[in-house]
């Protein structure tokens, strides 16, 4: 078995863009990542007011954290994506970037609109759990 098997189901809606579950192979170790924020090297939220741009920055920071832990985006078993908005258009813009950046690795994901995140001007945060070789 590979590190991660993505699960789809014939009895659930055919939802494009993510699997319904993931199963980790024997001998894998979990990597729990803090929420990746859109912070630049100076710890400043950037770009301000740009959902897609902040999503790209979050994924860049997620990749850096994964790399430090010995993993990559293809090792992600689950994501939770938090977006400061109640507008489906904003959530959709973030989701489009996530799908493009994950390049076909459709890990189970939850996309949530929230009222606020921790940093001033922060619009997006991405939490993840990954599985790496034991």
């Amino acid at each position: 078995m590979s590190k991660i098997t993505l699960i789809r189901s014939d009895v659930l809606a055919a939802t494009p863009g993510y699997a319904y579950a993931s199963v980790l192979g024997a001998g894998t170790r979990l990597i729990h990542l803090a929420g990746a924020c859109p912070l630049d090297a100076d710890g400043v939220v950037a770009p301000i007011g740009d959902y897609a741009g902040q999503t790209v920055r979050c994924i860049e920071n997620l990749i850096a954290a994964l790399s430090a832990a010995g993993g990559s985006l293809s090792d992600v078993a689950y994501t939770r994506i938090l977006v400061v908005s109640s507008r489906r258009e904003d959530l959709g813009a973030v989701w489009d970037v996530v799908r493009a950046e994950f390049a076909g690795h459709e890990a189970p994901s939850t996309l949530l609109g929230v009222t606020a995140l921790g940093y001033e001007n922060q619009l997006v945060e991405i939490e993840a759990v990954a599985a790496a070789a034991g």
Side-chain angles (χ1 to χ4, degrees):
M1 179 183 247
S2 69
K3 288 183 290 190
I4 300 171
T5 301
L6 299 178
I7 306 298
R8 291 167 171 80
S9 173
D10 295 352
V11 299
L12 297 171
T15 305
Y18 62 91
Y20 280 103
S22 61
V23 177
L24 307 183
T28 53
R29 61 186 176 88
L30 288 179
I31 303 170
H32 292 270
L33 295 124
C37 299
L39 301 176
D40 65 15
D42 295 322
V44 176
V45 170
I48 293 174
D50 181 352
Y51 286 96
Q54 286 195 19
T55 305
V56 169
R57 174 77 63 170
C58 288
I59 291 173
E60 290 169 351
N61 292 339
L62 181 67
I63 290 169
L66 279 164
S67 179
S72 68
L73 285 182
S74 64
D75 297 321
V76 171
Y78 176 78
T79 64
R80 179 178 296 119
I81 304 149
L82 309 170
V83 182
V84 178
S85 182
S86 61
R87 292 172 18 109
R88 285 198 172 103
E89 296 83 5
D90 298 333
L91 276 71
V94 168
W95 183 246
D96 289 345
V97 172
V98 169
R99 287 188 64 199
E101 293 290 329
F102 272 76
H105 179 66
E106 298 179 336
S109 297
T110 299
L111 177 64
L112 297 169
V114 298
T115 57
L117 290 167
Y119 292 97
E120 187 174 348
N121 299 313
Q122 181 181 1
L123 300 173
V124 181
E125 186 164 334
I126 301 173
E127 301 174 3
V129 176

